[in-house]
């Protein structure tokens, strides 16, 4: 599986985010605590499996103060 694009709406601390992986061959997530590095990995897990290791359910992943969230992952296989 090769990630191509990750789109987030009200997912954890992200109100809106679109990450284009299409030109990336190797990646490193870096930044200060609370920047959202783990949330990006959680979003990929949620898109693939409908759950994450850190949350009991989808309700725990909705951004505070909002009612809905979505995660869309586009990837290439083979």
């Amino acid at each position: 599986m090769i990630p191509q694009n990750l789109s987030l709406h009200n997912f954890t601390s992200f109100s809106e985010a679109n990450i284009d992986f299409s030109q990336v061959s190797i990646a490193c997530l870096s930044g200060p605590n609370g920047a959202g590095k783990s949330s990006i990995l959680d979003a990929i897990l949620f898109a693939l499996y409908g759950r994450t290791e850190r949350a009991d359910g989808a309700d725990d992943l909705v951004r505070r103060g909002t009612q809905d969230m979505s995660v869309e992952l586009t990837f290439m296989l083979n």
Side-chain angles (χ1 to χ4, degrees), residues 12-47:
T12 63
S13 60
F14 292 97
S15 58
E16 297 289 332
N18 187 41
I19 303 169
D20 181 7
F21 296 107
S22 64
Q23 301 300 313
V24 176
S25 58
I26 189 166
C28 172
L29 297 175
S30 66
N33 289 345
K37 301 176 300 291
S38 296
S39 291
I40 292 170
L41 298 176
D42 282 342
I44 293 170
L45 286 173
F46 185 77

Side-chain angles (χ1 to χ4, degrees), residues 3-74:
Q4 296 295 296
N5 192 280
L6 180 66
S7 296
L8 309 174
H9 170 74
N10 291 334
F11 186 84
T12 63
S13 60
F14 292 97
S15 58
E16 297 289 332
N18 187 41
I19 303 169
D20 181 7
F21 296 107
S22 64
Q23 301 300 313
V24 176
S25 58
I26 189 166
C28 172
L29 297 175
S30 66
N33 289 345
K37 301 176 300 291
S38 296
S39 291
I40 292 170
L41 298 176
D42 282 342
I44 293 170
L45 286 173
F46 185 77
L48 292 172
Y49 305 110
R51 62 184 180 89
T52 70
E53 293 293 323
R54 297 186 312 140
D56 290 331
D59 290 341
D60 293 339
L61 300 170
V62 177
R63 187 171 185 244
R64 284 188 188 153
T66 63
Q67 299 288 322
D68 65 331
M69 67 94 167
S70 64
V71 177
E72 182 178 324
L73 175 64
T74 305

